[in-house]
Amino acid sequence: MKLLRFGPKGQEKPGLLDADGKIRDLSGVVDDIAGDTLTDAGLAKLRAIDPASLPAVAGEPRIGPCVGHVGKFVCIGLNYADHAAESNLPVPTEPVIFGKWTSAICGPNDDVEIPRDSRKTDWEVELGVVIGRHAKYVDEASALDYVAGYCVINDVSEREWQLEHGTQWDKGKGFDTFGPLGPWLVTKDEIADAQKLDLWLEIDGHRYQNGNTRTMVFNVAQLVSYLSKTMSLQPGDVISTGTPPGVGMGVKPNPVYLKAGQTIRLGIQGLGEQQQKTVAAK
């Protein structure tokens, strides 16, 4: 299934994308694409519904973030060896963990704000993993059983705040609009192998990132297991699993960063595409 949330900011309704690409309204069935809806039982309930029996949504509504009421937005740094190299940092021997504030979450096609006085706002296409079961001390062999599905994430990053204002990466990762999620949450049964997905990103039509999840240092199962040993994970928590090479910071000889008035397009095989305009933060 492809699950989504549509409507004005803060008033999103749950929806389902049918086989013809039409949005169907799920608000008569569930309150939101969040929490218990993402458990095995919640998803089984949705799979039992004939999409044609649901109201069709007219027009082209705004698509909101594909998960509502996210409890934790956990990110993994330097999870592609070639990205670590372009960042002039060693390949990690254990996952590098940082957080994005949930206030950074926005829709996949919402504007991305360039923070005031920012000179180094950057892009990162990433595979998002949405948790579907309470996970604590999970072994790697069963870790994927705790995944509800996958989505596209743009881990927008302000590098000066991330790297030049102390040691906490979180400061450069959590600005408003720095976490576009979606367009869809694609349930894991539709993805044969999350470690064989192409992912890409363009700025104003120029392709900067081309990668594949097979080159992750730590795969999805390893990440879910590792994180579950450092924190409990709940349904609706989101993990952003790292970016392949091609970020603006790594462009040689001169890094390239975002400025207001640009268009970002990105996507992952089987998970859809995002498109954002960059605007100056007010």
Side-chain angles (χ1 to χ4, degrees):
M1 291 183 294
K2 292 181 174 66
L3 304 174
L4 66 137
R5 300 168 72 247
F6 64 95
K9 293 180 183 179
Q11 303 175 43
E12 292 92 349
K13 293 182 178 181
L16 179 151
L17 195 72
D18 70 17
D20 297 320
K22 183 179 298 183
I23 297 173
R24 299 285 180 165
D25 189 343
L26 277 171
S27 59
V29 181
V30 293
D31 292 333
D32 205 348
I33 306 300
D36 288 345
T37 300
L38 299 171
T39 63
D40 292 344
L43 294 177
K45 176 182 176 181
L46 297 184
R47 285 193 188 95
I49 298 169
D50 177 4
S53 69
L54 299 168
V57 177
E60 297 184 4
R62 168 186 171 269
I63 303 299
C66 59
V67 183
H69 309 290
V70 175
K72 290 190 289 296
F73 194 173
V74 185
C75 301
I76 307 298
L78 305 174
N79 199 31
Y80 290 72
D82 30 15
H83 172 56
E86 72 175 354
S87 303
N88 297 314
L89 293 167
V91 176
T93 56
E94 292 194 33
V96 175
I97 302 173
F98 62 92
K100 270 175 124 62
W101 320 128
T102 55
S103 54
I105 293 172
C106 65
N109 306 314
D110 290 348
D111 292 343
V112 165
E113 297 180 3
I114 306 297
R116 291 182 183 180
D117 303 318
S118 170
R119 297 173 297 175
K120 297 182 179 181
T121 299
D122 206 345
W123 57 82
E124 296 189 4
V125 58
E126 305 202 1
L127 172 67
V129 177
V130 181
I131 297 298
R133 292 170 57 186
H134 175 83
K136 187 173 182 178
Y137 298 115
V138 170
D139 60 49
E140 188 179 323
S142 62
L144 294 184
D145 294 341
Y146 294 80
V147 172
Y150 304 96
C151 66
V152 182
I153 295 176
N154 187 357
D155 175 19
V156 187
S157 308
E158 212 294 335
R159 302 300 188 189
E160 186 172 350
W161 278 102
Q162 178 188 355
L163 301 170
E164 301 172 34
H165 290 270
T167 58
Q168 297 89 11
W169 283 17
D170 310 50
K171 288 186 287 190
K173 296 286 191 171
F175 288 91
D176 288 357
T177 74
F178 271 29
L181 300 184
W184 336 118
L185 186 166
V186 181
T187 52
K188 65 183 176 185
D189 57 295
E190 291 202 7
I191 303 300
D193 188 345
Q195 304 305 150
K196 292 182 180 179
L197 302 178
D198 292 327
L199 60 173
W200 57 271
L201 183 144
E202 299 175 351
I203 308 295
D204 292 336
H206 179 82
R207 182 69 61 98
Y208 281 95
Q209 289 190 276
N210 263 320
N212 189 286
T213 56
R214 67 174 174 270
T215 65
M216 283 182 180
V217 179
F218 304 102
N219 64 30
V220 172
Q222 290 170 319
L223 292 174
V224 171
S225 175
Y226 186 92
L227 289 172
S228 77
K229 296 170 184 175
T230 68
M231 66 189 81
S232 62
L233 299 170
Q234 283 82 37
D237 284 351
V238 175
I239 304 167
S240 200
T241 59
T243 197
V247 300
M249 179 177 64
V251 175
K252 304 291 191 294
N254 299 310
V256 175
Y257 295 111
L258 294 165
K259 56 184 182 292
Q262 294 185 293
T263 299
I264 311 170
R265 287 187 64 238
L266 60 151
I268 300 179
Q269 180 182 354
L271 302 181
E273 297 184 9
Q274 300 182 354
Q275 180 168 302
Q276 297 113 23
K277 296 286 187 182
T278 54
V279 300
K282 296 180 180 179

